[in-house]
Amino acid sequence: MTFKTLDDVSDLHGKTALVRVDFNVPVEDGRITDDTRLKVALPTIRKLTEKAAKVALLAHFDRPKGKVVPEMSLAFVAPALSDLLGAPVQFASDCVGDDAKALIEGLPDGGVILLENVRFYPGEEKNDPAFAQQLADLGDIYVNDAFSAAHRAHASTEGVAKLLPAYAGESMRRELDALNAALGAPVKPTIGIVGGSKVSTKLDLLKNLVGKLDALAIGGGMANTFLYAQGHEVGGSLCEKDLKDTALEILKEAEAKGCRILLPLDVVVAQEFKANAANRTVDLGAELSADDKIFDAGPRTVAQLKDVIANSRTLIWNGPLGVFELPPFDAATVEAAKFAALQTKSGKLVAVAGGGDTVAALNHADVVQDMTFVSTAGGAFLEWMEGKELPGVAALG
Ligand code: ADP
Ligand code: MG
């Protein structure tokens, strides 16, 4: 992974930096309910404005599908960003063309402007070269600070990067550095935790990880499919029985590649899918009825996992170990998370995690701030864990 960063730019005085950010923020009744994505963009904006560059922010919002949809305008983001930045943020009601260009030219050095939703144009998602050129016409350099959009080859993430000198923004750089430390060039021994609901959504991820890691703990609902494939009882648990052969192939592949697989040794079983449902902990191999459902890993499993984490230097984690939304079935996930956080805090472990529900689970365990890096990138993070090349990152190289 080679890419230029803002430290590589020389004179920016009065030049325009076209900066791709992810401002696809959650909104309820016209209010931003979580401004994390705006905050994430601040270091890049500040670094550029300190160098007296004009900053033109390029972003998408929602799915207007190539048409102007007034309800999906980005206008509401400008004042919120201005508050966080402590400086004015102008808004351009178009993201290309003469009006946008005139507004950018009219900015003072170090001024900031947010351009309208780039997905109002069909050329964006089609990565149309003519549209990419229209974007490129607005800036002197291009900066991508939206790792979460980097798995898409769109005009604002890929096409335009080829038309201007391209750089990784500060949060993009931070994320790429963390991912590289976790899976690109990690300190060994390495361990992965993959959990969540289904094997079928994470096949590519499992296949990639068994070829790269020293150990892989499989938990959550997807562990049931592996247990079933090995001939264990899973009762009425979530289990993809049709993936039995696939699960066995992954185990074989892991053995061939020298990746130790950790499956549950004991499980927590309940009959009702609700918080505080009556439950019992049983060893693997115990008899389960058709009403019994495995909702979490048991204490022996967690003890084994902690032991392997304690002897590892790098951890990469996607997917909870149980139904963490319903206590007490959050226990394995929370205990493993707290232990990983402890090891990380004391400098013994590099711990990187990501995934929508994984972020929620780590927040629930209150450890996000103690991990090395927790990615909120969703799809881009998963594709990266699958070993795929991300077009928006590749275009920076
Ligand atoms: P992420 O979004 O982090 O990639 P997933 O979407 O793959 O994670 O999985 C998260 C979901 O998996 C959670 O909603 C959790 O309740 C569910 N899950 C975990 N363990 C089990 C289990 N044993 N049975 C059913 N669902 C489970
Ligand atoms: Mg999920």
Side-chain angles (χ1 to χ4, degrees), residues 215-338:
L216 179 66
I218 300 175
M222 71 164 64
N224 301 335
T225 303
F226 284 89
L227 296 178
Y228 170 78
Q230 291 186 325
H232 297 292
E233 289 206 26
V234 295
S237 302
L238 176 64
C239 178
E240 293 169 289
K241 297 191 170 164
D242 53 321
L243 289 181
K244 180 181 168 187
D245 291 341
T246 307
L248 291 175
E249 272 163 36
I250 290 170
L251 295 176
K252 229 169 117 186
E253 175 79 4
E255 200 177 343
K257 293 271 170 66
C259 174
R260 178 182 173 198
I261 298 286
L262 305 170
L263 279 163
L265 303 171
D266 55 349
V267 291
V268 183
V269 172
Q271 301 203 337
E272 280 179 291
F273 188 82
K274 64 172 199 194
N276 304 311
N279 63 83
R280 62 187 210 278
T281 300
V282 298
D283 279 337
L284 200 62
E287 243 176 74
L288 297 183
S289 79
D291 293 330
D292 286 329
K293 294 181 246 325
I294 300 170
F295 285 157
D296 200 12
R300 286 180 54 220
T301 305
V302 177
Q304 171 181 258
L305 177 56
K306 281 162 71 171
D307 195 51
V308 180
I309 293 175
N311 289 300
S312 301
R313 301 288 308 277
T314 304
L315 166 69
I316 172 109
W317 187 345
N318 166 259
L321 294 172
V323 185
F324 74 97
E325 299 94 334
L326 305 176
F329 310 110
D330 58 342
T333 303
V334 169
E335 195 174 338
K338 285 199 187 298

Side-chain angles (χ1 to χ4, degrees), residues 204-228:
D204 290 344
L205 194 153
L206 288 165
K207 285 180 186 159
N208 187 43
L209 293 186
V210 295
K212 291 201 167 143
L213 301 174
D214 298 311
L216 179 66
I218 300 175
M222 71 164 64
N224 301 335
T225 303
F226 284 89
L227 296 178
Y228 170 78

Side-chain angles (χ1 to χ4, degrees), residues 62-218:
D62 215 330
R63 295 171 188 268
K65 299 195 172 143
K67 289 194 302 269
V68 176
V69 180
E71 300 77 55
M72 295 179 192
S73 169
L74 270 168
F76 73 99
V77 169
L81 179 66
S82 171
D83 285 349
L84 291 170
L85 189 63
V89 175
Q90 287 193 42
F91 182 72
S93 56
D94 202 346
C95 65
V96 289
D98 293 341
D99 290 353
K101 192 152 182 77
L103 283 170
I104 292 169
E105 271 162 17
L107 283 176
D109 293 346
V112 181
I113 188 165
L114 172 62
L115 307 176
E116 181 59 287
N117 195 342
V118 69
R119 286 194 186 165
F120 281 180
Y121 284 89
E124 162 64 356
E125 293 184 70
K126 288 191 189 125
N127 201 6
D128 172 26
F131 182 66
Q133 185 59 57
Q134 280 187 289
L135 293 172
D137 287 344
L138 298 176
D140 298 298
I141 67 164
Y142 168 76
V143 179
N144 192 343
D145 210 22
F147 176 81
S148 50
H151 57 315
R152 314 235 184 261
H154 292 172
S156 71
T157 59
E158 205 267 351
V160 65
K162 296 188 167 152
L163 302 173
L164 290 173
Y167 302 87
E170 295 296 283
S171 78
M172 172 74 95
R173 180 237 296 257
R174 223 184 126 231
E175 180 127 14
L176 292 177
D177 285 349
L179 299 187
N180 193 46
L183 207 51
V187 182
K188 286 162 97 54
T190 54
I191 177 173
I193 300 177
V194 176
S197 44
K198 290 182 168 177
V199 175
S200 52
T201 59
K202 297 194 176 166
L203 275 178
D204 290 344
L205 194 153
L206 288 165
K207 285 180 186 159
N208 187 43
L209 293 186
V210 295
K212 291 201 167 143
L213 301 174
D214 298 311
L216 179 66
I218 300 175

